[in-house]
């Protein structure tokens, strides 16, 4: 019922005891958050695989896994294809299911510069977000004086999960114009670089514009205005985030976006391409380093060649599978390299019980969080240096590196004096963990890697393509770009060409008094970390337990602003609840509501996830609401 101090040596001995007494390495779960640096992530996955499992769920499973699945299939790489400077060259930037004002504020200044260079911006979002419509840049004199930049040229307030019918409607309007006057599609690119276009065009004939407009919640005139922007543009960038990736049909959402770009020849040239926007500092880099429950054969072959042990080949648990395994007592040790697992995952009550079923839970953390309060039979908090802390090893200051959303690998070096002499760096924690668990059985010289982090980067260079001269290039200002076939028009798919896809959708039918809920973040929030109770871009202050609800829907229920309600989800016959939320009339489509994450993660069913990517459906939660007793 409480924590007490323990010596580092005793902590690692305790972990080793639990791990080494498991019947199988697959009875342990090794989670990773996007905070973990390239160097720590590489060592972590190396230890876990020498230990003998691929049970390496990570935060990608809960956010952009759908993007990775769709992009690998269609363009051959599970990352975005654009560079930052491409934004300044684009004719049109599509922002779908993403609110840069709240979640990616640095992107706003890039969009402002793109606008000055002549780019048009098409925004697609169920919420009428201030950051998508007007922006005051505080780093300019005009911004300080309150001058606004009108970001969006066209704003489409799509119904929640209406994205596939929306993009089908836009594709259909593009096709109609191509048939009438030509010049819309890039046929040279299509014929030389793609496959499957005829199947796509035949599929579009199955739908009427009236049907598609009704299913996405927009008018024909709105769709035609957006299509006209696309038709007139040659260089298009599509940016998206969780609003597209956290639905049952999320992979199809992304594939439909890719269809649009391929028709315009807008992948593999300057000013055009895919841009999944990832929020955490190294969520993309961790995957590049091998943090993945389904590692490709080429990566495992390289590990075996470089280090001389046979890594496990069977796939491990993703996040949803890991939670279920712990809940069913098929896994009994949970180790987290960063993150706030309990607050980030779906069905909070179910996940909490899964953690309680473990014999040991251990968290490598920079600060306390709610996950530390829900423990296995034994529990450890391993306090580590933050990215802003000085990291001194053997008397020499070290730095680590990360990879951003656009594939740039660059330095991250702390300058602050650590608040305690007892903090360890993440690489050192992995080193000590490996030495304690594997002992003399290990074929890896773990101590050498922490003696100087250049040694880790040299090992990465030998193992992972694209990191040639790693130590030299990462020391240059701005870092370096990793190879990206889609960026160069070289599509590493099975056919060697980019693939059009045919995507189906089933219009969601809500029963009377049912609503479609999506979870969102506030301005005063970074992932699960909540800094304050204000969401000033949305005009919400001093409260987070709110339900943003269409004003007409509020009136139909006989409610008003301030009415307190309990929320219920009945997916699979199981009742999930979120009590005592306050109704707030807001600009959102009818029968759609929005609530804050992580407060309403209790309503996201553990068994509701995206097809093929298994990303929890945090943006497609069917709820009922009742006035609080």
């Amino acid at each position: 019922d409480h924590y007490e101090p323990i010596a580092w040596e005793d902590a690692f001995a305790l972990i080793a005891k639990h791990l080494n007494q498991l019947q199988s390495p697959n009875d342990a779960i090794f989670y990773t958050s996007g905070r973990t640096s390239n160097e720590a992530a590489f060592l972590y996955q190396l230890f876990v695989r020498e230990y003998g499992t691929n049970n390496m769920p990570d935060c990608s499973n809960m956010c952009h896994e759908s993007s990775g699945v769709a992009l690998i299939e269609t363009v051959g790489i599970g990352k975005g294809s654009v560079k930052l400077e491409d934004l300044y060259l684009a004719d049109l930037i599509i922002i779908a299911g993403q609110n840069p004002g709240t979640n990616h504020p640095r992107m706003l200044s890039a969009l402002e510069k793109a606008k000055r260079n002549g780019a048009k911006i098409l925004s697609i979002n169920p919420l009428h977000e201030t950051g998508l419509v007007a922006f005051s840049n505080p780093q300019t004199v005009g911004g300080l004086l309150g001058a606004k930049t009108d970001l969006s040229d066209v704003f489409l307030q799509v119904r929640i999960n209406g994205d596939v019918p929306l993009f089908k409607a836009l594709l259909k309007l593009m096709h109609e114009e191509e048939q009438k006057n030509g010049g819309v599609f890039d046929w040279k690119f299509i014929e030389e670089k793609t496959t499957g276009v005829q199947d796509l065009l035949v599929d579009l004939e199955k739908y009427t514009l009236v049907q598609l407009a009704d299913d996405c919640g927009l008018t024909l005139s709105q769709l035609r205005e957006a299509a006209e922007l696309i038709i007139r543009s040659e260089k298009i960038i599509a940016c998206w985030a969780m609003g597209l990736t956290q639905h049952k049909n999320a992979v199809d959402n992304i594939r439909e976006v890719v269809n649009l770009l391929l028709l315009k020849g807008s992948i593999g040239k300057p000013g055009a391409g895919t841009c999944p926007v990832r929020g955490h500092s190294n969520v993309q880099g961790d995957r590049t380093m091998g943090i993945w429950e389904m590692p490709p054969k080429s990566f495992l072959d390289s590990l075996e060649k470089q280090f001389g042990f046979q890594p496990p080949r069977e796939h491990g648990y993703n996040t949803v599978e890991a939670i279920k395994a712990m809940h069913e007592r098929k896994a009994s040790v949970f180790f987290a390299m960063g993150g706030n697992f309990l607050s980030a995952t779906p069905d909070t009550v179910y996940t909490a019980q899964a953690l309680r079923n473990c014999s040991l839970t251990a968290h490598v953390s920079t600060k306390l969080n709610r996950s530390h309060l829900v423990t296995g039979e034994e529990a450890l908090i391993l306090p580590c240096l933050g990215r802003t802390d000085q990291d001194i090893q053997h008397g020499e200051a070290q730095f680590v590196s990360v990879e951003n959303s656009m594939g740039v690998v660059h330095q991250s070096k702390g300058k602050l004096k650590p608040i305690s002499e007892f903090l360890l760096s993440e690489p050192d924690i992995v080193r000590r963990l490996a030495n304690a668990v594997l002992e003399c059985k290990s074929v890896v010289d773990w101590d050498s890697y922490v003696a100087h982090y250049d040694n880790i980067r040299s090992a990465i260079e030998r193992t992972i393509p694209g990191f040639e001269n790693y130590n030299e290039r990462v020391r240059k200002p701005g870092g370096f770009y990793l190879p990206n076939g889609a960026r160069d028009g070289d599509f590493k798919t099975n056919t060697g060409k980019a693939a059009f896809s045919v995507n189906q959708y089933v219009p969601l039918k809500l029963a009377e008094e049912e609503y479609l809920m999506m979870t969102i973040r506030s301005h005063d929030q970074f992932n699960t970390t909540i800094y304050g109770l204000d969401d000033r871009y949305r005009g919400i202050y001093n409260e987070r337990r709110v339900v943003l609800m269409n004003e007409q829907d509020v009136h139909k229920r006989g409610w008003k602003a301030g009415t307190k309600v309990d929320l219920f989800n009945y997916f699979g016959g199981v009742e999930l609840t979120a009590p005592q939320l306050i109704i707030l009339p807001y600009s959102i489509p009818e029968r759609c509501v929005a609530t804050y994450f992580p407060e309403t993660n209790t309503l996201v069913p553990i068994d509701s996830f995206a097809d093929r990517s298994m990303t929890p459906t945090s943006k497609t939660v069917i709820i009922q609401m009742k006035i609080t007793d």
Side-chain angles (χ1 to χ4, degrees), residues 322-357:
I323 296 169
K324 294 173 78 69
M326 291 186 289
H327 197 275
E328 297 166 9
R329 299 185 186 275
K330 295 178 180 177
S332 58
V333 172
F334 176 80
F335 189 98
M337 181 63 77
N340 183 357
F341 188 79
L342 178 63
S343 292
T345 48
D347 201 338
T348 313
V349 174
Y350 184 98
T351 300
Q353 187 57 54
L355 292 170
R356 292 190 186 100
N357 287 349

Side-chain angles (χ1 to χ4, degrees), residues 64-76:
H64 271 291
E65 198 69 57
S66 302
S67 299
V69 171
L71 291 173
I72 288 172
E73 289 181 357
T74 55
V75 298

